[in-house]
């Protein structure tokens, strides 16, 4: 039996992806760069600067490093202000009850997120002190698909990768989990991804794993 679940945040516990999209879309529009929901799908689970690089693939000119940093900062300001209104009600369906039930079964629960805003989001949705370990974009050098975020979360729990499920909505997150030796559970966009060890159609189905 496994001993812990390490959860991705955005797209698994809470849906902030529409706010990411709106903020990136406003930046792309200001810069006259084509950007749509299909391109946005490639940003799932990917870090902020890497996301900007994907958007700039459609730009008609080359951007310097300072300009890139300024755009990423502006995107984050817009994104952060849209997070102000987040509440417990923004937890995704089944999350509250299922986490409680998993804890009741004795599992440790952790967060492994690429986001530098993860702790802010967790506070907003009433999970500021809930998880046994939180590792986010501020704690890592290499973003997903590198396994660093999950490896550090397992270390904080005092466990090895084979003791932990990683639950992800992004294919890049499943790749990260697999290269770290974790058992990868795919939800939403990552459900059905061939590299996922287990594919689920609802968060509450996690309760049936052991
Ligand atoms: P930030 P996750 C990821 O969160 C998002 O899925 C991704 O779209 C975003 O670019 C990344 O965090 C960085 O977010 O700009 O807030 O640092 O899915 O790994 O929880
Ligand atoms: Mg995600």
């Amino acid at each position: 039996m496994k001993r812990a679940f390490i959860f991705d945040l955005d797209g698994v516990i809470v849906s902030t992806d529409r706010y990411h999209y709106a903020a990136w879309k406003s930046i792309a529009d200001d810069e006259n760069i084509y950007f749509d929901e299909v391109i946005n799908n490639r940003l799932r689970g990917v870090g902020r600067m890497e996301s900007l690089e994907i958007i700039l693939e459609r730009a008609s000119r080359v951007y310097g490093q300072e300009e890139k940093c300024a755009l990423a900062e502006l995107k984050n300001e817009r994104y952060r202000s849209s997070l102000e209104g987040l509440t417990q009600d923004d937890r995704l369906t089944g999350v509250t009850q299922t986490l409680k039930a998993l804890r009741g079964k004795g599992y440790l629960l952790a967060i492994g997120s690429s986001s530098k805003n993860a702790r802010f989001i967790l506070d907003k949705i009433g999970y500021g002190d809930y998880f046994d370990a939180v590792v986010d974009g501020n704690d890592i050098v290499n973003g997903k698909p590198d396994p660093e975020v999950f490896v550090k979360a397992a270390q904080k729990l005092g466990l090895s990768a084979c003791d932990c499920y990683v639950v992800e909505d992004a294919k890049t997150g499943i790749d990260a989990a697999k290269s770290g030796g974790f058992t990868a559970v795919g939800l939403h966009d990552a459900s059905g991804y061939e590299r996922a060890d287990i594919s689920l159609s609802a968060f509450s189905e996690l309760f049936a794993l052991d």
Side-chain angles (χ1 to χ4, degrees), residues 47-151:
R48 196 179 307 161
M49 291 310 285
E50 294 90 334
S51 297
L52 178 62
E53 293 294 347
I54 291 171
I55 290 166
L56 292 180
E57 286 172 9
R58 293 290 194 112
S60 52
R61 67 176 179 86
V62 173
Y63 284 71
Q65 201 48 43
E66 273 185 28
E67 275 181 301
K68 288 182 188 174
C69 290
L71 288 178
E73 207 173 302
L74 185 57
K75 180 267 174 178
N76 194 49
E77 278 171 25
R78 293 177 183 175
Y79 174 62
R80 282 283 289 228
S81 52
S82 64
L83 296 178
E84 286 297 339
L86 277 184
T87 69
Q88 293 201 9
D89 295 340
D90 291 290
R91 293 178 192 170
L92 285 168
T93 308
V95 165
T96 308
Q97 302 85 332
T98 307
L99 291 184
K100 216 182 261 180
L102 292 175
R103 181 150 274 164
K105 276 175 135 181
Y107 287 104
L108 293 175
L109 308 176
I111 293 289
S113 168
S114 303
S115 175
K116 294 187 168 164
N117 295 299
R119 286 178 172 83
F120 178 74
I121 294 167
L122 287 168
D123 279 343
K124 284 278 178 193
I125 63 171
Y127 276 153
D129 295 318
Y130 187 78
F131 289 90
D132 301 298
V134 175
V135 179
D136 69 14
N138 299 296
D139 305 316
I140 55 169
V141 177
N142 305 298
K144 300 168 189 175
D146 190 283
E148 185 179 355
V149 71
F150 300 131
V151 169

Side-chain angles (χ1 to χ4, degrees), residues 8 10 168-169:
D8 172 57
D10 176 31
E168 261 289 350
D169 71 311

